[in-house]
Amino acid sequence: MLKYSLRRLLHSLVTLFMVLTLVFLLMRLLPVEGYYGERADKLTPAQKEAILRKMGLLDPWYVQLRNFYLQLLRGDLGVSVIYRANVPVKEILAAKIPYSVAFGLGALVLSLVAGLAMGIHMAQNKGLFWDKFWTWYVVFINAVPGAVYLLFIQLYGTSITGLPMLFDRYNVRSWILPLVSMSLSGIAANAMWLRRFMVDELNKDYIRLARAKGMSSRAIMVKHVLRNAFVPLANYLPASILFTISGSIYVESLYSIPGMGGLLVTAISRQDNPLVQALVLIYSSLGILGLFLGDVLMAILDPRIRLEKQGGAR
Amino acid sequence: MMTAKEKEVIQAIEEQELFTFAQYDPEAAERTGYSDYSYWRSTIRVFLRNKTAVFLLILMTSLVAFTFIQPYLPGQKDPIKIHIDPNTGLQLRNHPPDKEFWFGTNSIGQDLWARLWSGTRTSLLIAIIVGIWEIVFGTFVGAIWGYVRPLEAFLTEAYNVISNIPTTIILMLIAYILRPSFQTMIIAMCATGWLGMARFVRNQIVIIRDREYNLASRCLGTPTGRIIVKNLLPYLVSVMVMRVALSIPGTIGWEVFLTYIGLGLPLNIPSLGNLLNEGRRVMMAPALRYQLFFPAVVLSVITVSFYVLGNAFADASDPRNHF
Amino acid sequence: MSEPILSARDVVIKFSLRGQTLTAVRGASLDLYEGESVAIVGESGSGKSVFTKSWIGMLDANGWVDSGSILFEGKDLAKFKTEEEWLTIRGKKIAMVFQDPMTALNPLRTIGSQIQETLELHQGLRGQEAKRRTIEILAQVGISEPEMRYRQYPHEFSGGMRQRVVIAIAIACNPRILICDEPTTSLDVTIQAQILELIRKLQKELKVTLVYITHDLGVVANVADRVAVMYAGEIIEYGTVEEIFYDPRHPYTWALLSSLPQLGIKGQPLYSIRGTPPNLFNEIRGDPFAPRNPQALKIDFVKSPPFFQVSPTHYAKTWLLDPRAPKVEPPEIVKAMRAKYERYAV
Ligand SMILES: Nc1ncnc2c1ncn2[C@@H]1O[C@H](COP(=O)(O)OP(=O)(O)O)[C@@H](O)[C@H]1O
Ligand SMILES: [Mg+2]
């Protein structure tokens, strides 16, 4: 188990290294306007060149690459050029991250609770009314772009319930709609996967033995099916938070939440390259971390991986 | 219990006769078994059993046909022409739906009905280009990945790296780097779309390759390539159909997203994303909500329909559902 | 013989499949007597599993007992509808061991917990007591170091060991009837013999009534007192092991015996039955084996034969036993079998 996790960690670090390098290469392709800052129009070509030189962008590529790695090792994410000129990116992020984490975790909990309940309900009623009913929900959420239904939720959700239309950190009621909106796709995904995993388990041979033992359907559901279906679910869950990036970007901008998703959109639309680079690095690393955690979680839950290569009998 | 018919038959034949040997027919002995199986016939049979899917197939076929003939129908307006109010000489802004402008006009006086179908055409066009690229390039990479041993490790690692970066981020970056345009939109989506297809093809080839590897048939000279083509092709074709169907809701979703964050198509090209964005800008005025409502409904119907169709076809083409 | 403990009469079992109805068991009858061991043999697809599964209410969801009765402890199991009713029988009074031990156990739970679950369910044992009993049972089915094995997972067990665990689960609650559905089919030959040995030993120790299902007549002599031959959803011949091996009467039983490799005559090609079993979607008229029987009578194609008594324990369902029928000699192999069989059965 430990050995497995270490091996897996090593692999993740290699992937991370390659992803960072790829991001570096893409970043060199960014439009250079994104480095000039507020007064881009008024700058002379010489001034522009001076800015690029100062940022090290005119150095040979291998020097740039080395500096890129060194900066990252020092935890230096650069300095914003437009969004808040000359403010270190780290400082900007420090103000935003708490909101993103709060909403991310809130939506995670909500989508877990509601999604798993929905998935179980579907699996129990497989092929019957409720299965089909919730399947339509899943289909709708998966097929229709978030922008469409999120707009309508904001528009009619606020007028029907009287909840605030804009986020205000001191008003708890203003958290409700964004949280629910952010959870919708997670609920659909969790429900769909749990249903699929449970149905897979239900078709396995050991269920037949459990029935032959004289266990009730309910006991089999809880003690065998659900328990086993959690393993592949645990594998997919940590990375699933990232599937909702676009969702959080929509929701943060709709409700004016000062989080990282909104920041990414602003950084791109205002062409603030150092900020874009920092955010891309963070999101990519989170992706790798999510997949790593998923595999470790599965290894903890599944004895077949847990005991792998420890010389289990035969 | 004997049926009346049995009694008749028995009476007709002499009792003595009954206890003599019957003619043994080896053909009849074999005939008692089960009938043969055809992949495509079964696929179509299972698909047709799904009433919702059949209905949506008819609906979408008509809708797609309509979007392409709509400009040639009588009384249709130009989607980018700005209509002028003859009384005031100004742009006919936010004109509510009526006999003349079926879905009203937008905030600069363009006909929403014409724009909606023009936008649907654009979005479907992008989806089909991306979908075809996805299956062609995906199959190509998947085949190399599964078949060319020396490249296997490299491609596996490349796949890992690309699939580790969230798609949202890749799309945004490419759109940002290349500046928004029709081509950018297509390139960005093509850059990520093929991953799933490549992995599918690769997995299938590896399954067949590893199975065939030990088989005498290889020694007998049947090339693995032929075996793969013969075994994989029917299933591959149905996966391709499914991918193209599912790429429609997928690409429309990304187009809407990129447009939303300001990296979409230029405003002079109507697309579902652009129409939705225009509607969003005026949505706070209840009288103008039709500008959000019409695109949203058309977009939802199209994406849901193709999503259901793709999945229904995937189910139908899975041999496990054929028995 | 005394009263049967289970008596299945004219059981008809149907499945609905894609809008069509398939009859998997067409009027099978069988009596089980306390403490005996019965083998049910027949080609695969003949309905052996379906027939016995109906005794514990484990038909797949698309199947049902259409008619007939299954009397057990004064109740007609064929009339059972709800899960509650079945839970009083299943695993507790009648237990079943299935074919493939590799997939029969939950891979994510320890061996111990999966056996203990049954004890807790039916015998109300809890905690340490249940654990102690579980370890006892593990030892009883021949698993060494049961304390250590108790904590292990299925993937740490070989196929044969897993089948022992499945058997342990089945006998944990001292059932009255133990059904073993091809328990050795997917195991290596040497392991097969061990499992067979274990089942025989347990049957003697626990005095359980054993139903042993197999498509291999070869192993029958080792486990069974009586044999029932099944074809196309009917029991077509039954009798003691000796009667079925020495003196078979149904052409299908002849064919089955002739195809046994152990009984083949040197120098003669191995016999195999021609053709395939009938399509269960169709109505079958007459004797279902007739189309594959080179010596079928004309009446076989029009009228289903009744059971003819050969001895008080031996019955066969073939027109050949009708006094009006012509005399048909069994194949050479079957005739030569008597001598061979004596050496073979020991
Ligand atoms: N769930 C089911 N649906 C349809 N047909 C079934 C089902 N289960 C079994 N059958 C059919 O019943 C027949 C008897 O099956 P089975 O009892 O498993 O045979 P055996 O155990 O003798 O090999 C087979 O032809 C099989 O196809
Ligand atoms: Mg069977």
Side-chain angles (χ1 to χ4, degrees):
Chain A
M1 159 62 198
L2 198 68
K3 218 165 125 196
Y4 169 83
S5 303
L6 284 177
R7 216 163 4 112
R8 185 65 190 71
L9 180 66
L10 200 68
H11 190 240
S12 288
L13 288 177
V14 173
T15 311
L16 180 66
F17 176 75
M18 289 195 276
V19 168
L20 294 181
T21 312
L22 186 70
V23 169
F24 167 82
L25 293 175
L26 285 172
M27 286 302 150
R28 297 316 105 183
L29 301 172
L30 289 189
V32 281
E33 291 85 58
Y35 295 107
Y36 299 148
E38 209 64 82
R39 301 169 299 120
D41 312 335
K42 300 180 194 109
L43 295 176
T44 63
Q47 281 173 313
K48 286 184 179 176
E49 205 188 311
I51 290 178
L52 294 184
R53 187 174 306 274
K54 194 169 138 240
M55 298 182 102
L57 291 165
L58 298 180
D59 295 343
W61 66 269
Y62 51 89
V63 178
Q64 289 193 36
L65 189 61
R66 196 195 58 203
N67 289 340
F68 175 75
Y69 291 139
L70 285 177
Q71 270 193 353
L72 283 181
L73 280 180
R74 265 185 271 121
D76 178 0
L77 291 172
V79 175
S80 162
V81 293
I82 287 199
Y83 175 71
R84 279 171 62 196
N86 300 323
V87 176
V89 170
K90 255 204 278 187
E91 209 169 286
I92 298 176
L93 290 178
K96 303 279 185 186
I97 285 177
Y99 291 101
S100 288
V101 170
F103 273 101
L105 288 182
L108 180 71
V109 170
L110 198 57
S111 57
L112 257 181
V113 173
L116 298 192
M118 191 185 286
I120 293 170
H121 199 211
M122 284 164 90
Q124 276 177 333
N125 293 287
K126 183 175 165 263
L128 305 176
F129 173 79
W130 282 109
D131 185 20
K132 288 176 188 150
F133 183 85
W134 296 126
T135 299
W136 276 110
Y137 167 79
V138 172
V139 165
F140 184 86
I141 296 287
N142 280 347
V144 177
V148 177
Y149 57 82
L150 293 177
L151 273 178
F152 281 96
I153 288 177
Q154 190 186 29
L155 203 54
Y156 292 102
T158 49
S159 62
I160 291 170
T161 60
L163 290 169
M165 202 155 201
L166 291 179
F167 173 72
D168 166 10
R169 58 185 289 199
Y170 299 111
N171 181 355
V172 184
R173 294 176 68 241
S174 74
W175 287 71
I176 299 175
L177 273 182
L179 258 183
V180 171
S181 301
M182 247 184 227
S183 313
L184 290 175
S185 65
I187 294 174
N190 290 344
M192 183 180 80
W193 286 113
L194 184 66
R195 177 197 184 275
R196 192 169 297 172
F197 295 144
M198 284 179 75
V199 170
D200 281 353
E201 293 301 322
L202 273 173
N203 287 330
K204 291 200 175 147
D205 267 1
Y206 71 81
I207 297 296
R208 192 175 58 175
L209 180 68
R211 281 222 300 152
K213 275 182 195 175
M215 290 179 79
S216 66
S217 314
R218 192 172 203 91
I220 292 177
M221 268 291 175
V222 177
K223 292 192 183 155
H224 289 279
V225 175
L226 201 55
R227 203 188 139 119
N228 285 25
F230 265 125
V231 174
L233 198 75
N235 181 263
Y236 121 101
L237 265 182
S240 75
I241 305 170
L242 291 164
F243 302 152
T244 58
I245 293 181
S246 61
S248 72
I249 288 176
Y250 284 136
V251 173
E252 287 184 7
S253 80
L254 283 174
Y255 294 89
S256 303
I257 299 168
M260 296 218 299
L263 185 63
L264 180 58
V265 176
T266 318
I268 284 184
S269 62
R270 299 197 51 198
Q271 304 206 332
D272 189 333
N273 285 1
L275 201 49
V276 172
Q277 172 172 319
L279 285 164
V280 168
L281 287 175
I282 289 176
Y283 277 119
S284 310
S285 317
L286 281 177
I288 295 170
L289 182 70
L291 291 173
F292 168 71
L293 286 181
D295 282 353
V296 171
L297 207 55
M298 182 153 99
I300 292 172
L301 290 175
D302 191 336
R304 285 167 296 186
I305 301 176
R306 190 156 76 207
L307 294 161
E308 193 193 34
K309 303 264 171 356
Q310 274 186 15
R314 271 162 293 240
Chain B
M1 268 296 288
M2 263 195 282
T3 64
K5 198 159 170 228
E6 270 174 352
K7 275 193 184 129
E8 261 173 51
V9 176
I10 290 170
Q11 273 159 10
I13 312 173
E14 285 285 324
E15 197 180 69
Q16 285 303 310
E17 167 80 4
L18 272 173
F19 283 92
T20 60
F21 294 113
Q23 196 70 36
Y24 177 61
D25 177 4
E27 299 265 306
E30 304 290 346
R31 219 173 18 241
T32 49
Y34 296 97
S35 65
D36 58 340
Y37 163 84
S38 143
Y39 177 76
W40 287 110
R41 204 171 339 115
S42 308
T43 300
I44 292 169
R45 184 171 48 84
V46 175
F47 184 85
L48 291 181
R49 209 181 292 133
N50 185 340
K51 295 288 177 294
T52 317
V54 173
F55 168 76
L56 291 178
L57 182 66
I58 296 169
L59 183 73
M60 283 302 111
T61 315
S62 338
L63 186 133
V64 171
F66 177 76
T67 54
F68 284 94
I69 56 171
Q70 178 266 339
Y72 309 105
L73 295 176
Q76 301 298 318
K77 301 191 166 52
D78 186 332
I80 48 178
K81 179 170 178 244
I82 295 168
H83 295 272
I84 304 295
D85 189 337
N87 302 328
T88 61
L90 296 172
Q91 291 173 348
L92 189 63
R93 288 184 186 163
N94 300 328
H95 185 77
D98 65 7
K99 271 212 214 69
E100 179 67 19
F101 299 97
W102 295 348
F103 282 3
T105 64
N106 68 4
S107 52
I108 55 168
Q110 293 165 320
D111 179 34
L112 204 55
W113 167 263
R115 285 181 72 75
L116 193 54
W117 298 117
S118 168
T120 306
R121 265 196 306 279
T122 315
S123 292
L124 287 178
L125 195 66
I126 296 177
I128 287 167
I129 294 174
V130 173
I132 288 176
W133 166 262
E134 184 185 326
I135 59 175
V136 172
F137 189 67
T139 307
F140 175 72
V141 174
I144 291 181
W145 188 3
Y147 199 52
V148 183
R149 291 280 174 113
L151 288 175
E152 189 166 347
F154 169 76
L155 284 169
T156 306
E157 210 42 57
Y159 175 86
N160 273 342
V161 170
I162 302 177
S163 63
N164 264 299
I165 310 177
T167 313
T168 319
I169 300 294
I170 300 183
L171 282 176
M172 288 170 82
L173 264 189
I174 295 178
Y176 179 43
I177 291 168
L178 298 181
R179 316 285 162 91
S181 76
F182 189 74
Q183 287 90 324
T184 299
M185 181 75 72
I186 287 176
I187 292 172
M189 289 185 204
C190 286
T192 55
W194 55 275
L195 283 165
M197 186 72 188
R199 194 176 65 169
F200 170 80
V201 172
R202 188 254 177 175
N203 286 346
Q204 296 296 317
I205 289 181
V206 168
I207 289 170
I208 295 175
R209 184 189 71 187
D210 289 353
R211 194 171 56 205
E212 297 302 326
Y213 209 71
N214 309 313
L215 273 183
S217 68
R218 258 173 84 89
C219 311
L220 293 172
T222 317
T224 313
R226 172 113 38 89
I227 300 170
I228 287 172
V229 167
K230 198 168 152 281
N231 284 292
L232 198 52
L233 207 59
Y235 198 34
L236 194 61
V237 170
S238 44
V239 170
M240 288 173 169
V241 174
M242 178 193 87
R243 292 267 165 181
V244 173
L246 288 182
S247 98
I248 290 173
T251 45
I252 289 180
W254 289 123
E255 197 254 325
V256 168
F257 174 72
L258 288 175
T259 312
Y260 185 94
I261 62 171
L263 296 172
L265 296 175
L267 283 177
N268 60 358
I269 306 178
S271 73
L272 290 174
N274 273 339
L275 289 167
L276 201 72
N277 240 14
E278 288 172 18
R280 177 164 69 104
R281 258 182 238 119
V282 297
M283 76 178 185
M284 293 326 285
L288 302 186
R289 278 191 194 154
Y290 67 90
Q291 293 186 28
L292 176 65
F293 198 67
F294 289 125
V297 168
V298 170
L299 191 152
S300 303
V301 169
I302 291 178
T303 49
V304 168
S305 300
F306 278 104
Y307 188 88
V308 172
L309 280 175
N311 282 305
F313 188 78
D315 282 347
S317 67
D318 187 338
R320 277 171 297 182
N321 294 331
H322 285 179
F323 60 88
Chain C
M1 277 194 219
S2 55
E3 279 286 285
I5 64 168
L6 183 140
S7 170
R9 283 272 154 269
D10 304 317
V11 175
V12 176
I13 297 170
K14 298 191 175 180
F15 288 94
S16 78
L17 200 59
R18 305 262 173 234
Q20 279 182 298
T21 306
L22 159 164
T23 313
V25 173
R26 16 186 117 230
S29 302
L30 188 69
D31 287 335
L32 295 181
Y33 297 93
E34 187 88 53
E36 72 166 344
S37 159
V38 179
I40 303 181
V41 296
E43 272 169 288
S44 71
S46 55
K48 307 181 295 290
S49 302
V50 169
F51 183 40
T52 46
K53 273 193 207 165
S54 72
W55 304 349
I56 53 171
M58 287 216 10
L59 295 177
D60 295 334
N62 60 337
W64 68 95
V65 178
D66 199 62
S67 62
S69 63
I70 305 163
L71 296 179
F72 177 72
E73 296 190 340
K75 286 181 218 127
D76 185 0
L77 305 184
K79 301 243 157 32
F80 276 20
K81 291 273 179 310
T82 63
E83 187 174 46
E84 285 82 68
E85 289 173 302
W86 281 115
L87 292 184
T88 61
I89 304 287
R90 218 187 264 160
K92 197 174 180 182
K93 302 273 175 64
I94 307 180
M96 195 153 179
V97 170
F98 297 101
Q99 178 176 334
D100 192 0
M102 295 313 281
T103 53
L105 295 164
N106 186 334
L108 301 186
R109 292 186 42 185
T110 60
I111 295 296
S113 78
Q114 296 189 54
I115 301 175
Q116 202 164 317
E117 195 167 56
T118 325
L119 292 171
E120 289 168 0
L121 205 62
H122 297 303
Q123 307 205 319
L125 295 183
R126 289 284 175 273
Q128 281 304 312
E129 201 187 344
K131 181 173 175 183
R132 197 182 42 76
R133 179 81 188 106
T134 305
I135 292 173
E136 257 173 50
I137 296 171
L138 276 173
Q140 193 177 13
V141 295
I143 289 177
S144 52
E145 297 186 76
E147 280 92 0
M148 190 260 289
R149 292 303 205 166
Y150 176 91
R151 274 176 280 113
Q152 288 189 324
Y153 288 89
H155 69 275
E156 299 170 76
F157 280 55
S158 66
M161 295 296 254
R162 286 187 211 192
Q163 194 62 304
R164 285 175 192 267
V165 173
V166 173
I167 293 171
I169 290 173
I171 61 159
C173 298
N174 296 320
R176 294 189 71 190
I177 301 174
L178 174 64
I179 304 166
C180 295
D181 189 352
E182 313 210 16
T184 62
T185 305
S186 58
L187 300 174
D188 293 343
V189 186
T190 47
I191 313 284
Q192 280 189 12
Q194 291 171 11
I195 296 291
L196 216 59
E197 180 65 39
L198 173 70
I199 291 174
R200 229 168 37 173
K201 181 195 93 161
L202 289 172
Q203 196 237 340
K204 299 234 165 63
E205 275 175 21
L206 304 171
K207 300 195 172 52
V208 64
T209 306
L210 177 70
V211 177
Y212 192 94
I213 298 175
T214 176
H215 62 257
D216 177 9
L217 257 181
V219 305
V220 166
N222 292 327
V223 280
D225 311 325
R226 287 203 302 138
V227 183
V229 182
M230 197 155 183
Y231 182 76
E234 291 175 15
I235 303 278
I236 50 99
E237 179 163 10
Y238 62 90
T240 62
V241 171
E242 289 74 20
E243 284 162 340
I244 298 297
F245 276 79
Y246 283 83
D247 189 22
R249 294 305 179 97
H250 197 287
Y252 178 68
T253 316
W254 294 347
L256 216 53
L257 283 168
S258 310
S259 56
L260 261 183
Q262 297 95 316
L263 303 182
I265 297 173
K266 249 199 202 106
Q268 287 204 356
L270 202 57
Y271 180 90
S272 75
I273 309 175
R274 298 205 52 164
T276 49
N279 185 340
L280 299 177
F281 283 108
N282 300 337
E283 192 197 333
I284 296 178
R285 171 185 287 267
D287 183 341
F289 188 58
R292 299 169 73 185
N293 179 7
Q295 290 165 307
L297 305 176
K298 285 189 176 139
I299 189 167
D300 282 333
F301 289 92
V302 278
K303 199 177 169 204
S304 177
F307 266 114
F308 292 93
Q309 185 179 22
V310 183
S311 82
T313 53
H314 185 185
Y315 290 79
K317 209 167 181 255
T318 169
W319 283 118
L320 292 182
L321 293 174
D322 190 283
R324 293 162 295 189
K327 181 131 178 60
V328 174
E329 285 292 314
E332 281 308 306
I333 303 178
V334 173
K335 282 200 275 182
M337 196 165 294
R338 178 173 215 131
K340 288 249 173 193
Y341 173 65
E342 274 166 346
R343 249 177 292 149
Y344 172 72
V346 186

